[in-house]
Amino acid sequence: MDMDAFTTVHSPQWARLDVLARKRRLTGAETDELLDLYQSVSAHLSLIRSVAAESQLSASLSATLANTRTRFTGAKSNFFVDIARFFVISLPAAFYRIRWLTVIVGAVFVLIATLFGAWTAGNPGVLAAMGSDAQLQQLVEHDFVAYYSENPAASFAGAVWTNNAWIAAQCVAFGITGVFVPYAVFSNAQGVGMTAGVMFAYDRGDVFFSYILPHGLMELTAIFIAAAAGLRIFWAWVSPGPQTRLNSLAKEGRSLMTVAAGLVLVLFVSGLVEAYVTPSPLPVWAKVSIGGLVLAAYWTYTLVLGGRAVRAGESGDLGADDAGASVRSA
């Protein structure tokens, strides 16, 4: 079949179908025309796919036909149903699929932070390079604790939330590079570890943990989740399996950007804990218990709802209609 000639002959019909499918209101005659064109273009697409299944033309006609189908299948789904599906199925499924990678990233983070903490606390030269004795005394006696209460709680919570959500989004979005995520995990672990090392060197290790753990249990876990999502996207590009790299990357990207959206809410909760619980006069055991309950709630949500959704075949990806057409491997 001469594809160029076929396109020249039928392109007016394809263009007309696209116009009608996008039109907000149709007359009775236009509705009949839309149905006739849909049937004709469907036949054209089948013929084209038999000759060039992976062509741009095939993908374009698939998108036009998908858009047309929505005119016959009724109204769009209910907004509240979509929201419920996101929180009950899509989001926990996306979290569940990267649960083990999240744990691995967390273990690596803790190991790096511990090594830097021990190195800093045990080497006077490292402490001297970080500042004078007076400066470090100011840090451990005042600045570390004051950081959590020197600004109004509401504005502090907003600032923390925005910063951490931005870091999480970067880990997911730039995970495809294979470089950004290891760098982000290493640099954050280094910073936490060296701060801990200074606090322990001046016998304030208990203060460090009493101010880090209440919010850090969930906040750091959220960063581990984002890092795991970014690494998963990178691996989808490196090892796509039976799919094309483009399809593998698109599928994982859609599923794991769900993680980025969900982490905005997770980090909002940890930001509230950091602003209102961490600097509060509550006993240390109570503050840490609150942080532990928030973390336990996340893992319960992920393992129970996420496990159920994944076993039912969900992955956190968009539905077939929303995801659109994909290129098949040869």
Side-chain angles (χ1 to χ4, degrees):
M1 182 178 72
D2 187 334
M3 189 62 70
D4 290 336
F6 187 81
T7 301
T8 300
V9 171
H10 294 290
S11 57
Q13 291 176 280
W14 305 338
R16 177 60 177 165
L17 178 63
D18 187 59
V19 169
L20 291 175
R22 295 175 185 275
K23 194 171 181 180
R24 296 187 64 179
R25 294 182 180 276
L26 298 175
T27 65
E30 287 174 333
T31 301
D32 291 338
E33 183 185 5
L34 180 70
L35 180 58
D36 290 339
L37 286 172
Y38 178 81
Q39 294 172 335
S40 297
V41 176
S42 295
H44 297 164
L45 178 60
S46 298
L47 184 58
I48 291 170
R49 280 180 169 171
S50 69
V51 177
E54 301 181 15
S55 67
Q56 183 177 356
L57 177 59
S58 173
S60 175
L61 289 181
S62 294
T64 299
L65 289 170
N67 193 30
T68 304
R69 278 195 297 273
T70 64
R71 303 305 298 266
F72 297 121
T73 55
K76 295 181 179 179
S77 59
N78 184 279
F79 171 77
F80 296 103
V81 172
D82 290 340
I83 290 294
R85 175 180 170 78
F86 176 79
F87 285 108
V88 177
I89 297 176
S90 299
L91 181 58
F95 282 155
Y96 185 86
R97 291 178 61 237
I98 56 173
R99 65 196 186 284
W100 288 117
L101 191 52
T102 298
V103 172
I104 292 170
V105 171
V108 171
F109 182 98
V110 171
L111 176 62
I112 294 172
T114 300
L115 292 175
F116 269 106
W119 177 63
T120 301
N123 287 273
V126 175
L127 292 170
M130 295 178 68
S132 65
D133 183 66
Q135 290 173 324
L136 296 181
Q137 285 281 3
Q138 173 71 13
L139 170 66
V140 301
E141 298 293 346
H142 177 267
D143 293 351
F144 181 80
V145 173
Y147 167 76
Y148 297 98
S149 57
E150 60 187 0
N151 294 306
S155 62
F156 180 62
V160 168
W161 178 34
T162 302
N163 179 68
N164 290 331
W166 175 239
I167 293 174
Q170 285 179 301
C171 284
V172 177
F174 298 141
I176 189 174
T177 65
V179 176
F180 183 85
V181 168
Y183 168 77
V185 171
F186 180 86
S187 60
N188 279 277
Q190 181 187 43
V192 171
M194 294 187 74
T195 300
V198 173
M199 297 294 288
F200 272 90
Y202 284 82
D203 297 321
R204 292 293 185 273
D206 57 335
V207 175
F208 173 80
F209 283 118
S210 69
Y211 276 82
I212 286 291
L213 289 180
H215 65 275
L217 289 172
M218 189 67 254
E219 182 178 275
L220 290 175
T221 299
I223 301 302
F224 304 157
I225 295 165
L231 291 174
R232 185 68 176 260
I233 292 174
F234 171 69
W235 192 247
W237 172 65
V238 172
S239 180
Q243 306 177 80
T244 65
R245 278 188 167 80
L246 181 61
N247 282 352
S248 177
L249 186 59
K251 182 177 180 181
E252 289 295 343
R254 290 191 303 266
S255 298
L256 297 173
M257 284 308 291
T258 299
V259 170
L263 287 180
V264 172
L265 299 177
V266 171
L267 288 167
F268 175 71
V269 174
S270 69
L272 292 178
V273 174
E274 185 169 0
Y276 290 97
V277 176
T278 297
S280 74
L282 290 172
V284 173
W285 67 265
K287 294 192 286 187
V288 175
S289 295
I290 292 172
L293 287 174
V294 172
L295 182 63
Y298 164 77
W299 280 111
T300 300
Y301 172 77
T302 297
L303 297 178
V304 175
L305 293 184
R308 182 184 304 161
V310 169
R311 287 190 292 273
E314 298 289 339
S315 66
D317 193 5
L318 297 175
D321 291 339
D322 294 325
S326 61
V327 177
R328 296 179 296 179
S329 59

